[in-house]
Amino acid sequence: MLKVKKFGGTSVADKEKIFNVANRCIEDYKNGDEIVLVLSAMGKHTDELISLSNEISTNVPKREMDMLLAVGEQITVSLMAMAFYKLGVPAVSLNAFQVKMFTNSNYGDAELTKIETERIRKELSEKKIVIVTGFQGIDENQNYTTLGRGGSDTTAVALAAALKADSCEIYTDVDGVYTADPRIVSDAIKLENVSYEEMLEFSNLGAGVLHNKCVKIAKENDIKLVVRSSLTNSARYYDFKLL
């Protein structure tokens, strides 16, 4: 099976969490699955980069801001590749330019327009785990672009669609979809069934579980979309399907 797995910034915030993600992926890899791993910037690194830019100016060109923010994910994927090699598993890190993930030129909130899959398939054929930067793309002039907050979700689902993956797993620091944020509301109820339409409404209203663009792509391409906790090994999957 070909699986796309996406882990957010809190899941790769430090060395221990990076190795936790690596070991979880290795379990599936050793069972014969092909793994494409999409990562966000570590912890609050994106916020730190924004703070650095504000020290220079609070009115910077959007093109330059995207050039800056693209650095965060590149740090994460390269460190993750090093972790896999430390654990004896072949892996390769790729950024948007190397994969060829094309977008329009709407800096800061770009839309993916095309993803080439040849490089990823080549690396998978060599039995490597492929680690791809989330959140970023390149426009027709090969400038870096970013997909907006939560854009790594969109990267993962779009890659799953382009690769015709068997599943797309979104790992987060909660173990499913709730009626409210369980970290804030103690009696929030975990939902047993969620349709694409319901999830899209949740996302548009500000729910932080999934990026709204990724839900649209999943619906349009009939992607099996799964939310799992990155902090536990809960075996329960939460599949978003059309009801």
Side-chain angles (χ1 to χ4, degrees), residues 52-171:
L52 282 174
S53 73
N54 287 336
E55 291 180 13
I56 301 299
S57 172
T58 57
N59 184 27
V60 299
K62 290 185 177 181
R63 187 263 184 197
E64 299 306 330
M65 180 60 78
D66 278 8
M67 185 73 170
L68 173 67
L69 296 184
V71 171
E73 282 69 25
Q74 293 181 181
I75 291 172
T76 315
V77 297
S78 58
L79 291 174
M80 184 63 70
M82 295 174 194
F84 280 118
Y85 276 98
K86 175 74 171 179
L87 296 169
V89 174
V92 61
S93 62
L94 301 174
N95 62 22
F97 181 81
Q98 292 165 319
V99 173
K100 303 298 183 186
M101 292 190 287
F102 292 102
T103 72
N104 60 21
S105 297
N106 186 21
Y107 299 113
D109 193 26
E111 299 278 350
L112 284 164
T113 57
K114 179 184 177 183
I115 297 178
E116 296 184 0
T117 60
E118 289 81 0
R119 177 67 185 276
I120 292 177
R121 292 193 185 280
K122 175 182 179 295
E123 302 292 353
L124 289 173
S125 73
E126 296 175 1
K127 306 301 181 184
K128 296 176 184 176
I129 291 178
V130 180
I131 314 160
V132 179
T133 51
F135 178 64
Q136 64 177 237
I138 53 172
D139 67 11
E140 62 181 359
N141 295 315
Q142 299 186 344
N143 294 307
Y144 277 109
T145 60
T146 64
L147 309 182
R149 283 291 188 163
S152 292
D153 291 347
T154 302
T155 302
V157 176
L159 275 172
L163 292 164
K164 301 188 186 310
D166 295 289
S167 68
C168 181
E169 302 172 358
I170 307 293
Y171 287 78

Side-chain angles (χ1 to χ4, degrees), residues 40-61:
S40 300
M42 298 172 64
K44 299 294 184 181
H45 196 187
T46 299
D47 292 333
E48 293 168 2
L49 292 172
I50 292 171
S51 294
L52 282 174
S53 73
N54 287 336
E55 291 180 13
I56 301 299
S57 172
T58 57
N59 184 27
V60 299

